[in-house]
Amino acid sequence: MTTETVKKQRWKLNLRDRFQDLPKPARIAAMVVFVVLLYLLPTKAFYENLGFPIPMGSGYLPFYTTGSDMAGVLFQCGYYILLALGLNVVLGYAGLLDLGFFGFFAVGAYTVALLTSPESKLITEYNWLESPWPWLVTVPIAIALAMLSGVLLGWPTLRLRGDYLAIVTLGFAEIIRIVAKNQDWILNGDRGIPSVGHPPGTYADGEPIFELEFKPYYWLVLTVIIGVIFLIRNLANSRVGRAWVAIREDEDAAELMGVPTFKFKLWAFAIGAAIGGLSGSLWAGQANFVNSATFSLENSILVLAAVLLGGAGSIGGAILGGFIVIYLPEWLRSVGDVFGWPTQVTVGGIHIDVSPTSLRFVIFGALLIVVMIYRPQGLWPNRRRAAELKDRQKEVAPVE
């Protein structure tokens, strides 16, 4: 094999291989630099110094969402990435189709709201609590209750498979939303729970760090995501992760080989639910107000789309998918205003709204369709799943 051939093969290696080929100190340094860049993302100066050409007087900054608060968009991306990571454990690793994952998010959010708000009925009407609890104390409780709800849902339903499990989980999320909407006993119906508590911490002048500003919340959720990635990565490389993959590939064969499939499926459900509850508790701390309007079916579908778009079974894919489903529509919102694109066209006397702001979800939906046609394994797929999908495509390909 010639030197030129070796060089060409090496060039074809993907980014992950090149990163793995680096010496360990270089890998650690690259990861530290990358994490620092992530913490700089909400800062406008970061985009002003990227070096991209900017049209004079346009006000446009590459990758910056000028139509929305960038820190707010990144925070929203953050808690959706957490949700995608949680669903990736359930769907990507264990192969369980969960269409009601946002229900666990609701459990976490309502738990924090009930325990931290001074206007919670637990304090004002029933006197079960003397005063609101600190936000930090309520987060572990929210995670534990979300995990418990995952176990309670999974215990009777995980013997179902495929579409049947999807319908049951979908019903779970809808039950939570409808109960929250109509139940006035504790959850206050559509009026919701205001004055939800915030994370602790103050600046040197005594002003609270976590109030209405999004940046501290983004930095908080980014830190939590790093911790969750570390946890999931260790789980995926352990006996538990190997059992999940065995169940996903062939549950009957896994059971015959001695894997307690029900136990590990329940573990996947509980861990995914706990991450969903954690995401809900972070969101509730920032939103300051919780009611049922946030927990609609569309949000569960959006989290599922994030996992499939990024690549089921891949941590990087879940992160990428969770980021794109939120960031892309918000970025499109600002493009038309910055460049002065027309907002309406008239066809046959009928005015049609064609502004990117209005069409952003149409564009996003078209992108999803294109990706699913040309990359059904996702944008950042798990290697094993991508290889399996390729083999299956060969099996169903027509014989010439």
Side-chain angles (χ1 to χ4, degrees):
M1 186 179 292
T2 64
T3 308
E4 190 66 25
T5 307
V6 172
K7 284 182 179 177
K8 285 182 179 177
Q9 287 183 350
R10 190 173 182 78
W11 177 252
K12 288 179 182 176
L13 291 175
N14 61 32
L15 190 62
R16 184 187 300 173
D17 293 322
R18 293 181 196 176
F19 180 75
Q20 292 296 337
D21 286 346
L22 292 172
K24 189 174 180 181
R27 290 203 305 270
I28 294 173
M31 289 175 68
V32 169
V33 170
F34 180 67
V35 170
V36 169
L37 289 177
L38 291 179
Y39 278 95
L40 290 175
L41 284 182
T43 308
K44 193 172 183 180
F46 174 76
Y47 302 90
E48 292 171 340
N49 293 290
L50 278 178
F52 285 89
I54 301 171
M56 290 294 290
S58 68
Y60 174 73
L61 290 173
F63 310 117
Y64 193 79
T65 55
T66 50
S68 311
D69 184 348
M70 186 69 190
V73 173
L74 289 172
F75 172 67
Q76 196 177 358
C77 289
Y79 69 76
Y80 264 86
I81 286 172
L82 270 182
L83 285 166
L85 285 169
L87 183 59
N88 189 50
V89 171
V90 180
L91 175 65
Y93 289 141
L96 305 170
L97 185 55
D98 185 353
L99 288 185
F101 194 72
F102 219 74
F104 304 119
F105 179 90
V107 171
Y110 266 113
T111 302
V112 168
L114 281 169
L115 296 177
T116 63
S117 171
E119 298 188 37
S120 164
K121 285 190 173 182
L122 297 182
I123 299 172
T124 58
E125 285 195 26
Y126 305 111
N127 298 319
W128 292 355
L129 302 176
E130 292 184 358
S131 61
W133 289 8
W135 181 87
L136 211 54
V137 174
T138 62
V139 172
I141 299 172
I143 294 171
L145 286 180
M147 181 180 273
L148 179 63
S149 64
V151 171
L152 291 177
L153 174 66
W155 191 271
T157 60
L158 283 179
R159 291 174 179 82
L160 302 174
R161 297 182 185 180
D163 299 344
Y164 302 102
L165 180 62
I167 292 169
V168 170
T169 52
L170 182 64
F172 163 73
E174 275 302 280
I175 287 171
I176 287 186
R177 186 186 66 80
I178 292 169
V179 168
K181 182 179 175 63
N182 299 310
Q183 193 267 355
D184 195 55
W185 178 54
I186 289 180
L187 303 182
N188 228 14
D190 261 349
R191 296 190 301 281
I193 303 172
S195 306
V196 179
H198 301 294
T202 57
Y203 292 110
D205 58 1
E207 289 292 318
I209 296 173
F210 296 95
E211 196 69 38
L212 299 177
E213 194 182 357
F214 279 108
K215 275 186 190 176
Y217 282 102
Y218 166 68
W219 290 326
L220 175 64
V221 77
L222 179 58
T223 308
V224 171
I225 288 171
I226 293 171
V228 169
I229 291 172
F230 183 75
L231 171 70
I232 293 177
R233 189 178 171 81
N234 282 338
L235 272 175
N237 293 328
S238 69
R239 178 171 170 261
V240 177
R242 290 191 290 275
W244 285 339
V245 173
I247 293 168
R248 184 191 70 202
E249 296 306 313
D250 192 328
E251 187 176 341
D252 294 331
E255 197 153 5
L256 286 172
M257 294 301 291
V259 176
T261 55
F262 181 77
K263 171 186 164 185
F264 283 110
K265 286 197 296 184
L266 201 58
W267 263 113
F269 233 64
I271 292 170
I275 297 172
L278 172 62
S279 179
S281 63
L282 289 168
W283 171 80
Q286 189 281 321
N288 200 40
F289 175 75
V290 174
N291 77 348
S292 62
T294 310
F295 312 120
S296 60
L297 173 62
E298 289 81 0
N299 289 304
S300 286
I301 302 299
L302 199 58
V303 178
L304 179 64
V307 175
L308 297 179
L309 177 67
S314 163
I315 293 176
I319 295 170
L320 182 62
F323 177 77
I324 289 177
V325 297
I326 300 300
Y327 171 79
L328 185 62
E330 292 301 327
W331 180 78
L332 288 170
R333 184 200 293 273
S334 59
V335 171
D337 297 336
V338 170
F339 289 105
W341 291 355
T343 56
Q344 280 190 341
V345 295
T346 304
V347 180
I350 301 173
H351 301 295
I352 302 174
D353 190 345
V354 293
S355 68
T357 303
S358 302
L359 297 179
R360 64 188 189 280
F361 288 111
V362 175
I363 298 170
F364 174 65
L367 173 70
L368 275 182
I369 293 171
V370 170
V371 171
M372 288 298 106
I373 290 174
Y374 292 102
R375 282 190 70 84
Q377 71 273 32
L379 295 172
W380 189 342
N382 177 283
R383 284 184 176 184
R384 181 181 295 175
R385 297 209 66 179
E388 290 166 0
L389 192 59
K390 200 170 180 180
D391 290 341
R392 287 173 193 169
Q393 285 177 335
K394 287 179 182 175
E395 289 171 5
V396 299
V399 179
E400 296 180 357

